[in-house]
Amino acid sequence: MSRRNIFTTIAVALSFAGMVGQVSAAGIDDPRRADYFKTFTGKTIAFVPVTMGIDLTEGWASVLKKQADHLGMKFEIRDPHFSADAGAQAITSLISEKPDVLIVHNPDVNSYAKLLKRAEEAGIHVIQVNMRSNYNSDVYVGADWIGIGEAETQAIVDRCGAGTSQKVAILEGQPTSGSDSGMMKGAENILAKHPEIKLVANQAGEWDATKARSIISTVIQQNPDLCGVVGFWDVMDLGAAAAIKESGKSIALVTSGGGEQMACDNVEKGAFQEEIAYPVLQQGQDLADMVSVVLESGLPAGKEKVVIYTPPLKITKDTLRPGLCWSAKALKN
Amino acid sequence: MLGRMRRGSWSQEKIVLLIAIVLFCVFSLFLNGFISAGNLLTLVRGVSTLGILGVGMAFLVIGRGIDLAIVAIYAMSAAWTLHLANGGVSIPLAMLIGYLFALSAGILNGVLIAYVEIPALFATLGMASFVYGFARYALVPLYVVYMPASASGIAWIGGGFVAGVPTPILFFALVALLGFAFLRFTKPGRLIYAMGDNFAAARISGAPVRPIIVLQYAISATIAYLAGMITATAVASMDTNVTNSSMIYDIILVVVLGGIGLSGGRGGIRNVIVGTLLIGILLNGMTIMNIQYTLQNVIRSLILLIAIVIDSVVNPRDEQISQQGDI
């Protein structure tokens, strides 16, 4: 009896609650909503990457494209295919076309510096992504290169302590790029604290796996007791991994990159001991958020000085789990 | 013929060989570990792809042609092979399709040059953009294609050893040997020299110049595909961006540096080997010395300029060459 009573009470209570719910569902307008959408409709976002077709730029573009479609903005990509000249031309013509926001991925610290200043003077919000130039524009979104250089070098120092040869090599990409100069600074910071570590080689592979392979083979020939390699980009460091594998020695290779599935696969295979990743889709989301911020703030171009460093993600055999990395292939399909 | 006789004693090949030997001796004396067998294998291995492509280019330059599309074919055919393998196509079929792609680009090059009579420089320049653009647009969606685990059966092509010697070196030796035999002992090989020396005369005397041109470009595309698969399997990936790099100039450099004149009709595979070794010794020595990247570029270009200057002092341009002109 008492149980039935309880059920009845609950049923009555629930039906009342439902009615109350229906009453309050009449809705309240959000006064900011209309303005929010009006801010974005018809705006143009232009993106000048170093090149399309690599995991980083494809990842960022996919997030930005989704945001633009959702908010009724135009999203344009000018792909200079690794040519700084073509990129400079693209930016020059964009300055006269006046998009509302210009997102730039710099090939090095100098090439676009003056153009970015001119773009901001022309009233275009400039957001720099991952590779910065000497000119500080409204926003920088991207990896904290010095931090990544420190983390990578520390990871190698940890593996090459007493009892090993303590010999390490650094494999840079392109020394004039914004990423390399930062990572090198980070490496120097750590090496200064560890005088016992011997830096036996510091060479540039020009982002090319084939060059990386022959450099690291030569370094291993020269220093058969090499303990570790600090690589500056996972795509290039596949060549270094091949050279290490061929030597048959156990040499630690720590790299950094966009955290694409390839990185997880190679950490799992043992080709990389560790990757310090800057998750690309999160950077894409940060870019999209910054597009909202500069447009919503209503401030003129060049007034904001915002920096967002992507929190690094450490990929090792211990941290591996499904979904840790993202897949560039899945974006394409 | 007169020009070749006068070149006799101090050809560019000998000058470059001498520079290579001098560098080799200096490095052996002053660089620890340079002369070790392991390092010498690493040295040759590092430039073997360049050398293989150099042999392909030599075939054309001797016949007064040039293939600016060789790097595009090398990168895109290998990248497509990997991409197909990634998509689940069986490895032999993927390799066959990739090779047919390379071959058809080469044959198309040859047809454009031999039958449509477009100068080789323009035909292959256009073909380079077309091969790259078409493959990127329709065949290979990503810049860097990784080798799938299913392809581990062909990893030996670029990453294996036979009797302690890395396979890329053996492929380089094989391609050089076959190239040498073809140029020296076969009828089309001899005719390539004749066409390079005096195209009109070769044609008037009945040489089948058009089919031979098509054959030349088919051979260079075949060599490009082989080199592409060696690179792809050696580093377990193919970066299609090499098409936009300075690699094509490096290949022409290896050929010209070794002493195969761009005006055609001169030189052989030996010249390619000499040019390749000089580059290899330079790169290896500078890596061991841990010379900074920008300085490396300066030194490399300086030594190449010196070789060319010595050649033009020792072998001044004669009337025959200035009338024919280089490419």
Side-chain angles (χ1 to χ4, degrees):
Chain A
M1 273 298 276
S2 68
R3 183 175 286 177
R4 178 178 279 179
N5 271 345
I6 291 171
F7 277 124
T8 321
T9 319
I10 291 174
V12 171
L14 278 179
S15 64
F16 269 108
M19 280 157 66
V20 172
Q22 271 169 15
V23 171
S24 69
I28 302 168
D29 194 21
D30 178 352
R32 301 212 282 196
R33 188 171 180 274
D35 279 346
Y36 176 79
F37 285 105
K38 217 170 76 188
T39 312
F40 298 111
T41 314
K43 292 280 182 352
T44 305
I45 314 296
F47 177 37
V48 181
V50 166
T51 182
M52 290 307 289
I54 54 175
D55 54 358
L56 307 174
T57 50
E58 292 289 340
W60 300 326
S62 74
V63 180
L64 289 165
K65 175 91 179 34
K66 259 182 230 144
Q67 181 201 29
D69 289 347
H70 171 61
L71 295 173
M73 297 189 287
K74 224 168 91 188
F75 180 60
E76 274 185 34
I77 301 174
R78 302 282 164 92
D79 183 0
H81 280 287
F82 277 106
S83 154
D85 286 344
Q89 267 171 29
I91 296 175
T92 310
S93 71
L94 281 169
I95 290 175
S96 54
E97 289 168 38
K98 285 203 79 166
D100 299 278
V101 181
L102 173 61
I103 300 172
V104 177
H105 181 214
N106 291 285
D108 58 66
V109 290
N110 286 321
S111 293
Y112 300 163
K114 281 194 179 129
L115 285 170
L116 299 186
K117 185 159 183 281
R118 261 179 54 201
E120 285 203 330
E121 283 163 3
I124 304 166
H125 294 284
V126 175
I127 299 178
Q128 302 185 54
V129 55
N130 232 11
M131 307 241 266
R132 68 190 322 159
S133 81
N134 280 333
Y135 176 68
N136 286 324
S137 60
D138 270 346
V139 180
Y140 169 78
V141 170
D144 163 23
W145 294 114
I146 296 182
I148 287 181
E150 287 177 346
E152 273 196 58
T153 315
Q154 188 62 52
I156 282 294
V157 168
D158 291 345
R159 287 172 170 81
C160 294
T164 69
S165 69
Q166 304 193 316
K167 285 184 181 172
V168 304
I170 291 183
L171 182 63
E172 292 190 57
Q174 183 76 262
T176 53
S177 66
S179 55
D180 272 28
S181 45
M183 280 191 277
M184 200 56 223
K185 175 76 188 139
E188 284 164 0
N189 289 349
I190 297 297
L191 290 176
K193 277 190 238 159
H194 292 273
E196 75 280 8
I197 299 288
K198 292 180 276 293
L199 182 61
V200 293
N202 176 12
Q203 291 281 305
E206 297 180 61
W207 311 128
D208 178 359
T210 313
K211 286 206 178 91
R213 179 180 181 133
S214 75
I215 288 173
I216 295 301
S217 308
T218 309
V219 172
I220 294 175
Q221 283 298 333
Q222 203 59 23
N223 305 283
D225 55 347
L226 188 72
C227 173
V229 177
V230 180
F232 278 13
W233 191 37
D234 52 8
V235 176
M236 164 180 79
D237 293 337
L238 280 181
I244 290 172
K245 191 177 166 208
E246 182 189 290
S247 76
K249 299 188 162 65
S250 90
I251 296 169
L253 173 60
V254 173
T255 183
S256 64
E260 208 263 338
Q261 190 55 43
M262 173 279 265
C264 283
D265 291 348
N266 280 296
V267 167
E268 194 173 2
K269 271 197 297 187
F272 303 151
Q273 265 63 50
E274 185 167 335
E275 164 154 330
I276 311 291
Y278 28 97
V280 163
L281 295 184
Q282 183 176 347
Q283 293 185 316
Q285 195 51 53
D286 289 344
L287 280 174
D289 291 346
M290 281 298 115
V291 167
S292 307
V293 167
V294 294
L295 289 178
E296 282 193 77
S297 74
L299 287 174
K303 285 283 174 254
E304 249 141 344
K305 294 289 173 216
V306 183
V307 170
I308 297 185
Y309 288 137
T310 319
L313 174 70
K314 190 168 161 171
I315 305 174
T316 63
K317 275 206 170 123
D318 296 333
T319 64
L320 270 183
R321 58 179 163 76
L324 185 67
C325 289
W326 62 284
S327 158
K329 237 188 266 170
L331 292 181
K332 276 280 171 183
N333 298 334
Chain B
M1 285 311 274
L2 213 87
R4 206 189 304 169
M5 275 160 61
R6 220 186 295 153
R7 279 172 179 255
S9 60
W10 275 108
S11 65
Q12 177 157 343
E13 182 199 347
K14 283 186 186 151
I15 294 165
V16 169
L17 185 62
L18 190 74
I19 295 180
I21 291 174
V22 168
L23 277 176
F24 187 85
C25 293
V26 171
F27 287 168
S28 307
L29 281 177
F30 296 104
L31 289 183
N32 248 338
F34 177 80
I35 194 81
S36 76
N39 186 56
L40 294 183
L41 286 177
T42 307
L43 183 161
V44 182
R45 191 228 168 93
V47 287
S48 48
T49 314
L50 188 65
I52 291 172
L53 289 168
V55 171
M57 185 65 90
F59 270 101
L60 300 163
V61 174
I62 290 171
R64 212 189 294 182
I66 195 160
D67 188 357
L68 299 180
I70 198 166
V71 176
I73 295 173
Y74 149 88
M76 303 322 286
S77 58
W80 195 27
T81 302
L82 291 191
H83 184 66
L84 287 170
N86 267 314
V89 177
S90 77
I91 302 299
L93 183 63
M95 288 181 68
L96 181 69
I97 295 174
Y99 174 58
L100 288 180
F101 174 65
L103 190 66
S104 40
I107 289 177
L108 196 56
N109 260 334
V111 169
L112 285 177
I113 293 158
Y115 295 93
V116 191
E117 299 191 346
I118 302 172
L121 197 64
F122 302 120
T124 58
L125 186 64
M127 187 57 75
S129 304
F130 177 74
V131 166
Y132 174 73
F134 174 74
R136 281 281 288 117
Y137 175 73
L139 308 177
V140 188
L142 292 166
Y143 247 111
V144 183
V145 189
Y146 304 111
M147 194 163 86
S150 63
S152 53
I154 54 165
W156 62 271
I157 296 177
F161 289 88
V162 177
V165 181
T167 41
I169 298 182
L170 297 175
F171 276 115
F172 180 27
L174 184 71
V175 168
L177 197 70
L178 289 178
F180 167 77
F182 179 81
L183 284 175
R184 177 63 68 89
F185 300 117
T186 69
K187 211 182 282 175
R190 299 312 298 168
L191 287 175
I192 288 176
Y193 279 100
M195 285 157 56
D197 203 37
N198 190 331
F199 187 81
R203 185 174 206 169
I204 291 165
S205 51
V209 289
R210 284 176 162 168
I212 288 182
I213 290 177
V214 177
L215 177 70
Q216 279 178 298
Y217 285 90
I219 290 176
S220 82
T222 304
I223 291 177
Y225 183 68
L226 173 68
M229 288 315 292
I230 290 174
T231 301
T233 50
V235 295
S237 63
M238 190 76 217
D239 182 353
T240 59
N241 187 45
V242 301
T243 310
N244 304 320
S245 73
S246 62
M247 189 167 182
I248 186 72
Y249 306 113
D250 290 342
I251 296 167
I252 296 174
L253 191 74
V254 160
V255 170
V256 175
L257 191 69
I260 302 180
L262 283 174
S263 48
R266 281 200 311 273
I269 301 303
R270 213 176 50 198
N271 304 65
V272 178
I273 297 176
V274 170
T276 309
L277 287 182
L278 175 63
I279 302 280
I281 291 171
L282 260 179
L283 287 180
N284 184 272
M286 291 193 298
T287 308
I288 292 180
M289 285 187 276
N290 198 18
I291 293 177
Q292 192 208 339
Y293 166 75
T294 22
L295 188 59
Q296 282 202 13
N297 285 341
V298 174
I299 295 175
R300 191 169 52 175
S301 39
L302 214 61
I303 292 204
L304 302 177
L305 277 175
I306 289 172
I308 294 166
V309 167
I310 294 179
D311 179 52
S312 73
V313 170
V314 179
N315 304 307
R317 298 170 69 81
D318 59 24
E319 198 168 335
Q320 186 197 1
I321 296 172
S322 35
Q323 272 174 9
Q324 285 180 341
D326 289 337
I327 283 176

